Amino acid sequence: MNTSNSIALFERANKSIPGGVNSPVRAFKSVGGTPLFITHAKGAYLYDADGNQYIDYINSWGPMILGHAYEPVVKAIQEKAALSTSFGAPTELEIEMAELIKSMAPNVDLIRMVNSGTEACMSAIRLARGYTGRNKFIKFEGCYHGHADSFLVKAGSGVATFNIQTVPGVTSGVSHDTLTCAFNDIQAVETLVQQNPGEIAAIIIEPVAGNMGCIPPQPGFLQALRSLCDKEGIVLIFDEVMTGFRLASGGAQQYLGVDADLVTYGKIIGAGMPVGAFGGKKEIMEHIAPLGNVYQAGTLSGNPLAMIAGYTLLQELKQSPAIYESIEKKSAYLHQGLEKVLKASGIPYIINRVGSMISVHFSEKPVNNFADAAAANNTLFNKYFHYMLSQGIYLPPSAFETWFISNAVSDADLDKTIAATESFLKQAV
Ligand SMILES: *Cc1c(COP(=O)(O)O)cnc(C)c1O
């Protein structure tokens, strides 16, 4: 495959952008090689600067659940843009967006729009601290909640991909208040709570982890967190930036049947525009300014283009439950196909999947937390990634990322992905 234009663009990018990219995992540094520069995308396919076509399993890290350049979304953005791109004053569309989200996630009483998942999580933690009057919070090793200072402690996604142990620039004062323990280990959470009596404001978790590959919660784990938080007056925050509107129209809360006190959204909520949101119980949300003293603001928050894009996509997801059935069917088909060829290869593997989030770990034992994911044969994953890319299949460039299945992908695309995996495995053994 000729990628000479991408290679030239990367060289040029490095002269004016740090590492040539505006977000680290894009650089392909951990898998090796140089990144592809994308010119456009439609449905299930990405096109690079050399005109190559790829089946996309990143889907902008989630938002393109119905495929790229989804016509109703594109049309809605075009119409809105003609009416000006920002006002810095309230609009009726923001009310409609909030009402729509509330109708999809019934335990959300109030919701505030922001511009990214990072902002949503950062604001939710500030709110939980302001509400409880406590300073510390618990997060799980390998979970990623954006790049705000207090989350860059044992974080997943790019931080894990680049094996960054401590992040220079995050002061010890800040990281002192971030407590961490292993995902799926309720005993460890209880111990942290006992060791810090009356000091823990919040527990924040990806209800299905997606930033260390896909890792499902073990049965009863989230329920146990829920009861612990109730007992100790701790705010339970579900980071649904990835799972929100993906696992079900009501997100992981609906899919897994556990309610959080606060929820954060991103990715799908903006249909590919820069959007995030945090919301939840009225009693807690009322502490946000201008109702309360916990300050939070944004010049472009609730931006009309971002709102109409997200609103159009969410409306579609809410109105057609068949979409989720269809994506589940496609995901299960891929899962079974990969399972078959991996089993036949004799190479140790674990496939983790929840709905349309799936990841392949070249691991001998179950992958239930970050240590398990890190112990897998990730060198083999990197080779797998490059082989698939050479076959026109774009997987996330790291074993610590989940793949996202869109509804645009066809059975033929899935068959091609399974067949390419089979030929990779044949030459890998
Ligand atoms: C992507 C992600 C974030 C950060 O969102 P940004 O929009 O990149 O700031 C936070 N939490 C989770 C679970 C994510 O997957």
Side-chain angles (χ1 to χ4, degrees), residues 116-119 121 144-147 206 211 239 241-242 267:
S116 67
T118 296
E119 266 189 70
C121 295
Y144 181 68
H145 305 292
H147 66 93
E206 293 177 63
N211 284 291
D239 177 351
V241 171
M242 221 176 241
K267 300 189 168 116

Side-chain angles (χ1 to χ4, degrees), residues 91-113 245 249 265 269 277 307 310-311 314-315 318:
T91 60
E92 186 175 358
L93 178 57
E94 290 164 82
I95 312 172
E96 286 167 343
M97 182 69 164
E99 288 171 348
L100 178 60
I101 295 165
K102 283 174 58 172
S103 74
M104 295 169 88
N107 67 331
V108 169
D109 301 322
L110 294 171
I111 184 144
R112 170 69 55 88
M113 304 306 303
F245 316 107
S249 63
Y265 295 112
I269 202 173
M307 290 302 98
Y311 181 83
L314 295 192
Q315 186 79 10
K318 182 188 169 184

